[in-house]
Amino acid sequence: MPGQLRDYFVVLPDSAAGAAAAGQLPAPGAAAGRSAGPEATGPAREAGDTLTVAHPSGRPWVVARPLVRRVSHLARGEDALVLIGPDRVPDAVLARILEGARDRTGLERRLARLPGLYHVVARLSGQSWIRGTATGLRRVYHARHPAAGTIASDRPAVLARLIDAPLDDSALALRLLDFLPHPLSRRPVWRGVHETSAGFGLALPVAAPGTAAVPGPTEHRWWEPPPGELPLAEGARRVGDAIAASVRAHVGGLDRISCELSGGLDSTALTFAARETGPASLSLLTVAARDRYSEDETWARRAVEAAGGTTVTAGGHAAGAAGDHGAATAGDDRAATASARNRPTDPAAPALDHHVIPADDAPYFYADLASTVAELNDEPLPVAPGRARAELLLGRARATGSRYHLTGYGGDEIFLGLPHAYQDLFHGNPFTAWSHLGGLRHQLGWPFLPTVKALLNRSTFPRWLAGAVTAAPQPVARTPLLSWGVRQSPHPWLTEHAKALIAEEFRAAAEHAEPIDPWRGRHVDIDGVRMGARHFQAMEDIGMTIGLPVAAPFYDDRVLEATLAVRLPERISPWRYKPLLVEAMRGVVPDALLARTTKDHMASDEHQGLREHASELAELWTGSRLAEHGLVDARHLLRLAADPFSPVLVEHSISSTVAGETWLRTAENAWPAPQLTP
């Protein structure tokens, strides 16, 4: 049933009302993937696929439904620690973290070296403390239950159901923009549900709730970005160690795993890092491109050849992973011989198979939009139009017998670097900043005077935020990007009501907004990482639907910290492609593969998808839920569906609007009838 196919956890107050709220949680269904299972220890009980960790009173404290994640928990007297993440944390490790921690600061010091993406729930001196990750992939929400008081969860939809929260039209309108900057990205789409800032934890009141006078929760910062002081060599070593540790935290000890090998630098790096963990079987999956000028498949085959793997064609035949398409056909005996000759002789090396999905098998964007009802994402996400492509890839990965799938998501946001960073560099080293900007300016075609003007601009973050959405035309490609983010204009099919809601939200946010970091470039870098992490969650939810855990190890906090700790002019460069990642993976990934400096894009598949699926889009706008909320002009959208090559769709992406429409239909039907847990 929609809305019940995903995992979640809730943190409840120690009261009879809190225990009663536990009985209102979505009923458990069939579990998928790994669960806590019999490994759970301590004061906990299980019912089906639901695990409950108790308060000292015996009332439910943490109720978790871990479909693909694992719950680790340990109690020492009144204090307790619960970690919800990719793998089981041994009790001995939990004991070392918990023992001696007298407050939140002491606990965080002990947690700082733990790799992997974990939610942390702790009880110290009677107070519960919950936090997610600094990258924003693991988030925390809270709401005030009318009887139980403050309840926290990692899923806003669960809280919305518990408090019977209505949808928030202003938040829905915001999701129709292409980019939603900090702090507006934290506006949940249900009224009465609140999101805790990434890098902050949520402390629940000690007093048993039950009256309106009980104090609400408070936020406390637990994470600060490190100063960028390390030279490239030292920083690369730390980044490499962090990537290796994150990969091990997800797939270490598993016998059959898979990786998406697009051919790009990010996926190639993770492929070789996964190979180092020593699985018995490693399956690599590449989706062939329709564009004959695409280089991704060529580089993917080179990576497989370097790793000594075997390419499997659509018909199931094996071929050597040669560097060009023609030499890698099923009937080419020479390629197969070369592959066998390059295969590792170490008996402990994993069996490595490369599966190339033919381009004709890959759906265009906007295919099978009805399939989005299978998952209720935390919010509308612009990746929804590509869901059918993601489901194809993950379905093929699961068919190989994989128990965990790795992707290179997050590599661009963390390692590519954005031009805004040169604003930071200009303050301390103007000559180096101008030299780097010169190279970037010639690559991107930025005019001289506008670049100087943008570099000298000193507008504050609140002032920028107040004008970040404007009726003026969108910036052209040659506009220098050195501000606090990207300025954008509302799409022409949004109603005046929607535009007014958006303008009011930005105006109100600008009155009290503070940047993530005082330095403009670091603010944009971290905000970009957190935006990408939100988008990746849609991929995780697709994996949960089909029963295959999916991970993006680059979103590990340790990877982000190690990256930000490197000196800025060495971390990004207009003359080198992702220099920090290249140096971090040197010795793990062959040098020939680290030499790639290009990146493919799939814009043609998106534009062609508008034509191929015009009838589905027209059906989507017929009876549009967004139109019923007064946010879009359905007639305008119907005209665009009939004219997929309209210049309007060249200038404005329709992805966020499609995502908002499909999400809204799923949310309205998530729980048709009340169902209580036994």
Side-chain angles (χ1 to χ4, degrees):
M1 182 181 297
Q4 296 189 15
L5 291 174
R6 54 182 342 166
D7 66 350
Y8 63 83
F9 73 84
V10 294
V11 181
L12 300 163
D14 188 8
S15 66
Q24 301 169 0
L25 292 170
R34 301 187 304 185
S35 64
E39 296 174 301
T41 60
R45 58 184 181 273
E46 299 175 42
D49 56 5
T50 301
L51 172 71
T52 301
V53 182
H55 282 287
S57 65
R59 297 189 183 104
W61 175 40
V62 180
V63 180
R65 186 183 179 221
L67 297 189
V68 299
R69 291 182 289 169
R70 289 193 169 188
V71 179
S72 309
H73 51 91
L74 186 73
R76 286 289 183 268
E78 296 290 307
D79 295 341
L81 177 63
V82 179
L83 299 180
I84 305 171
D87 199 8
R88 178 91 170 89
V89 179
D91 286 352
V93 175
L94 294 176
R96 285 197 296 271
I97 295 173
L98 188 59
E99 290 173 357
R102 296 289 178 261
D103 52 25
R104 291 188 299 267
T105 302
L107 182 67
E108 288 300 341
R109 279 200 300 266
R110 289 162 171 78
L111 287 165
R113 294 185 179 87
L114 183 69
L117 292 151
Y118 290 91
H119 274 102
V120 177
V121 185
R123 187 176 59 241
L124 294 173
S125 302
Q127 184 181 63
S128 289
W129 160 258
I130 311 103
R131 70 146 170 94
T133 60
T135 60
L137 185 57
R138 300 287 173 255
R139 299 186 293 278
V140 173
Y141 300 85
H142 63 94
R144 191 174 185 84
H145 189 277
T150 300
I151 298 177
S153 177
D154 64 330
R155 298 293 193 179
V158 173
L159 295 176
R161 187 187 185 199
L162 287 176
I163 67 171
D164 196 22
L167 290 168
D168 188 326
D169 281 355
S170 293
L172 284 172
L174 288 172
R175 271 25 182 226
L176 300 180
L177 296 172
D178 290 332
F179 307 100
L180 196 54
H182 165 86
L184 289 161
S185 56
R186 295 192 293 107
R187 281 276 277 109
V189 289
W190 285 281
R191 295 179 186 173
V193 179
H194 309 278
E195 180 181 328
T196 303
S197 305
F200 285 76
L202 188 73
L204 301 183
V206 176
T211 68
V214 173
T218 55
E219 290 190 6
H220 299 274
R221 181 185 291 274
W222 65 271
W223 183 83
E224 292 273 5
E229 300 173 343
L230 296 179
L232 181 60
E234 173 63 15
R237 184 188 64 79
R238 294 193 185 186
V239 169
D241 290 345
I243 292 173
S246 183
V247 170
R248 284 195 305 271
H250 286 92
V251 300
L254 294 180
D255 56 345
R256 299 182 68 87
I257 62 175
S258 56
C259 290
E260 179 181 357
L261 178 60
S262 68
L265 182 59
D266 305 326
S267 64
T268 301
L270 281 184
T271 292
F272 281 85
R275 186 169 172 261
E276 293 288 305
T277 65
S281 173
L282 174 59
S283 296
L284 309 175
L285 294 98
T286 303
V287 180
R290 291 182 173 89
D291 186 353
R292 63 190 181 94
Y293 296 107
S294 171
E295 296 182 321
D296 273 354
E297 187 182 341
T298 299
W299 282 93
R301 291 178 181 269
R302 289 174 182 171
V304 175
E305 181 182 29
T310 301
T311 296
V312 179
T313 66
H317 301 289
D324 63 275
H325 299 185
T329 59
D332 194 328
D333 293 334
R334 291 173 301 161
T337 302
S339 175
R341 187 167 54 243
N342 287 310
R343 201 169 293 131
T345 57
D346 181 1
L352 195 152
D353 295 322
H354 182 213
H355 302 260
V356 178
I357 302 172
D360 290 342
D361 287 1
Y364 287 106
F365 286 91
Y366 306 103
D368 193 19
L369 294 173
S371 64
T372 57
V373 300
E375 303 95 27
L376 179 59
N377 296 125
D378 291 346
E379 60 192 273
L381 297 169
V383 296
R387 187 198 180 284
R389 296 174 66 97
E391 186 176 33
L392 169 72
L393 179 71
L394 296 180
R396 296 288 179 92
R398 188 171 185 270
T400 67
S402 173
R403 298 181 59 196
Y404 223 117
H405 185 75
L406 300 182
T407 75
Y409 280 74
D412 285 346
E413 293 90 339
I414 291 179
F415 298 112
L416 194 57
L418 294 170
H420 310 73
Y422 292 118
Q423 272 273 8
D424 302 356
L425 186 60
F426 186 74
H427 286 281
N429 198 333
F431 295 107
T432 301
W434 184 249
S435 173
H436 281 236
L437 267 177
L440 189 67
R441 189 169 64 83
H442 287 294
Q443 291 174 18
L444 302 178
W446 289 358
F448 176 79
L449 289 179
T451 302
V452 173
K453 182 179 178 181
L455 186 62
L456 297 177
N457 180 279
R458 292 294 178 267
S459 64
T460 63
F461 176 67
R463 182 179 178 185
W464 171 83
L465 188 65
V469 175
T470 172
Q474 295 191 50
V476 298
R478 297 176 68 242
T479 300
L481 299 176
L482 296 172
S483 191
W484 290 96
V486 178
R487 193 188 71 186
Q488 54 189 319
S489 55
H491 301 305
W493 51 83
L494 299 191
T495 63
E496 292 304 317
H497 174 57
K499 294 175 184 177
L501 291 177
I502 292 171
E504 174 57 24
E505 287 293 322
F506 272 79
R507 185 203 62 77
E511 290 183 355
H512 308 287
E514 294 183 2
I516 298 171
D517 190 278
W519 293 98
R520 188 176 300 186
R522 287 166 73 83
H523 165 89
V524 174
D525 276 347
I526 297 171
D527 198 25
V529 169
R530 292 174 178 173
M531 186 183 301
R534 286 179 180 271
H535 293 180
F536 175 70
Q537 190 194 58
M539 180 74 80
E540 288 185 307
D541 289 341
I542 296 171
M544 269 186 274
T545 302
I546 68 174
L548 177 65
V550 185
F554 287 143
Y555 283 128
D556 191 309
D557 287 353
R558 305 292 88 78
V559 177
L560 175 62
E561 289 170 351
T563 300
L564 294 175
V566 178
R567 295 171 186 165
L568 185 56
E570 298 180 64
R571 177 165 64 88
I572 63 174
S573 168
W575 304 288
R576 292 189 65 186
Y577 183 67
K578 300 183 180 177
L580 180 56
L581 179 60
V582 168
E583 296 306 320
M585 301 310 295
R586 200 171 296 282
V588 177
V589 177
D591 287 350
L593 300 175
L594 295 174
R596 185 177 184 187
T597 59
T598 58
K599 180 179 177 64
D600 285 351
H601 300 277
M602 293 185 292
S604 61
D605 273 19
E606 178 162 356
H607 294 310
Q608 188 67 15
L610 292 172
R611 184 181 72 84
E612 292 288 331
H613 302 292
S615 61
E616 294 177 55
L617 288 167
E619 184 178 350
L620 195 66
W621 309 131
T622 303
S624 165
R625 305 300 194 275
L626 287 172
E628 292 176 4
H629 282 256
L631 301 178
V632 301
D633 182 345
R635 289 177 296 179
H636 193 159
L637 289 166
L638 281 167
R639 289 194 299 270
L640 290 175
D643 185 15
F645 296 114
S646 166
V648 174
L649 293 176
V650 174
E651 183 178 357
H652 295 270
S653 171
I654 205 169
S655 294
S656 59
T657 307
V658 170
E661 180 67 35
T662 54
W663 183 91
L664 189 53
R665 296 184 180 208
T666 302
E668 289 177 345
N669 298 299
W671 294 292
Q675 295 190 17
L676 305 181
T677 56

